[in-house]
Structures are given as structure tokens and as C-alpha cells.
Amino acid sequence: NTQWEYSSHTNWVLHDSLNWGLEEAVITNASAAEIILISNRLRKYEVEEGGHDQMYPDVRVPFSEDYKFYYNPKDEMLFGFQSDKGGYFSINLKDNQLKKYPSIDTQMDHYHTPGEFYDTDTHSLYWVGGYGWYTAKNHIQQYNFLKSKWDTLAVWGDTFTPRFNSAVSKGPNPNSIYIFGGAGNSSGMQERGWQMYYDFWEFNRKTLELKKLFELDNIESYEEVSMGYSAELNQTVIIYKKSLDDFIAILLIDPNSGEVIFHDDIPNTRQRRVITSMQPMV
């Protein structure tokens, strides 16, 4: 009886405590085995073994809270993007070469808090939705690294309402990215009030088709959410928090059908935050 097994024999154990300073952030990283922390330097925390290692001791990063950072271990590159769609920089970590690129886009402050997805295998970056100038967006954008500009993709398929703070991850189709929820409304206008979404989408990066797969009706509400995917199990894991006074909850689903495999609170997680840039892994 698998439901009985899950309900009665799941024991949560605190593995370790990881502290970082105010002038430091977690970088989005596809590896389940390590957590990359960035300030004016890079350091790595090994999840299984514990302990910290400073990476690339000679590299100094122009760290700013205004930037979103992406690390590519395959090419040993670090990218920093202004969160308001300004310029970006890259650092070749092998030889500590910093390059700065000006923004070609003219619209600033329009795309804060988008859903983010960086694919280290293909070196491709996507932003889903976003908020700025009192308006939520339903755009899916891809960064053109050759032209140093954002391309708004000509998406077709099911109607995708404007939103921000969505969770984005890989899924069963390697050509697709998967999107969960966010806050917004059908018009995108702030004065009409925000609602929370509980829908689950597939966006095919080759055909540009956006398809709504299902609704998750067992999540009541959330303030913070993050999502990851296990190819070995073919399962999507969502962690979310209703409010700061609630526990962090974990939800394991079949990404094709929406069937709930496991759903439970994680004890002793009151007053803890969901780090949206850190994808949960099983």
C-alpha cells in the first residue's frame, strides 16, 4: 500500500545548515549535487559530502543584487544579467576574462521577476512573463547571445495569461520547458488585482507551441515556489510556501498526467524561505 508507506514511513532529517551573507546569492544551477554561491567570488557547497570550496580563486565577480547570474560548468562561464533587461557581462572563468555588453533593448524595468530557465547543455536562456510598469506580461523571451538582445518568441497554442513569479524547469520532453503557476490576471493590469495560478504548461522550444497540460487543485495558495525534475523517476517536484509562518511543502507529480505521487509538509521549516533560483531535486 504505497500511500500508507509514504504517510507513515517518511522521516525528514536535517542534512546540514548552509549560511551565507547578505552580499551573497544562490546561482541557478542544474546540478543536484552542488550549490553555487556568488558574491565577489564563487564558492561551491557539496550537497552529499558537505563543506565549502572556493572556485576559481583568482576570479573577482562584479556582484550586485540587481543582477541575475547563470553558471555554465560545461564551458566554465559565468553570465550576469541586469534584472531590468539592461546590459549583461560574461566572465571566462578559465582565464578570468571579463566582457561587458550594452543593452540593445530599449524597454527598461518591464520584466522583473520572470520565470527563469537556463540550459547549460545548449547555452540557451529563457524568461517567462515578468512584471514592470504596473503590468504583468505573458511573453516568452530567449536571449540571443550573438546579438546581445532579447527575442520575444512568436508563441502559439493555448491562451497564456500574463503573470510573473512562475516556476520553470525541465521535464520529460528534452525539447520542452515546463511552467507552473505564477501571479497575474487575464488583462495583465495591476489595478485589476492579482490572482494565483495553479496551471502546468509545456512549451516546445523547437515548434514554439505552448500547451496547457493540467491544473493542480491540491495546492491552496503559495507565496514562494520552485520546481525541478528527475529524469530517472520521470517525476516533477514542486516546493512551495503559503506564508512565512507555514511549513515548506513538497509536491511530487507525474508531469504528463498531473497525478499526485507525494504531498507533505517538511517539519521544522517555519521562518524559512523557498529559494526560487535553487531547483529542488529528488
Side-chain angles (χ1 to χ4, degrees), residues 2 10 37 72 78-79 100 103 108 126 134 224 231 254 271:
T2 56
T10 300
L37 294 163
N72 190 325
L78 177 71
F79 304 94
K100 294 186 177 181
S103 171
M108 300 285 284
Y126 297 86
Y134 313 105
E224 301 168 330
D254 181 322
Q271 306 301 317

Side-chain angles (χ1 to χ4, degrees), residues 131-267:
Y131 167 81
W133 286 100
Y134 313 105
T135 307
K137 316 297 188 303
N138 63 349
H139 303 151
I140 296 181
Q141 300 177 93
Q142 181 178 9
Y143 195 77
N144 188 322
F145 284 93
L146 296 178
K147 296 181 180 179
S148 301
K149 67 184 294 287
W150 289 95
D151 293 329
T152 301
L153 302 179
V155 177
W156 64 281
D158 295 332
T159 301
F160 188 62
T161 50
R163 64 190 66 199
F164 53 94
N165 279 341
S166 297
V168 188
S169 76
K170 289 184 176 180
N173 185 345
N175 294 322
S176 296
I177 59 176
Y178 293 78
I179 304 162
F180 170 71
N185 62 49
S186 58
S187 70
M189 294 188 290
Q190 178 175 299
E191 59 265 31
R192 297 194 176 180
W194 305 131
Q195 70 176 80
M196 301 305 299
Y197 291 113
Y198 307 91
D199 42 7
F200 192 84
W201 300 75
E202 178 184 357
F203 173 62
N204 189 305
R205 293 183 281 172
K206 288 194 171 182
T207 66
L208 304 186
E209 180 185 11
L210 182 62
K211 183 191 306 181
K212 182 178 177 180
L213 299 182
F214 47 80
E215 293 264 351
L216 287 172
D217 56 8
N218 52 329
I219 298 180
E220 297 175 10
S221 64
Y222 57 90
E223 285 189 357
E224 301 168 330
V225 63
S226 184
M227 183 167 68
Y229 173 70
S230 169
E232 293 81 6
L233 301 174
N234 189 27
Q235 293 172 2
T236 293
V237 56
I238 298 172
I239 59 171
Y240 67 95
K241 195 173 181 69
K242 295 179 187 176
S243 69
L244 192 57
D245 293 328
D246 286 308
F247 293 123
I248 293 174
I250 182 170
L251 176 66
L252 204 60
I253 64 170
D254 181 322
N256 295 302
S257 66
E259 176 190 358
V260 175
I261 300 161
F262 175 72
H263 191 195
D264 200 6
D265 290 338
I266 304 175

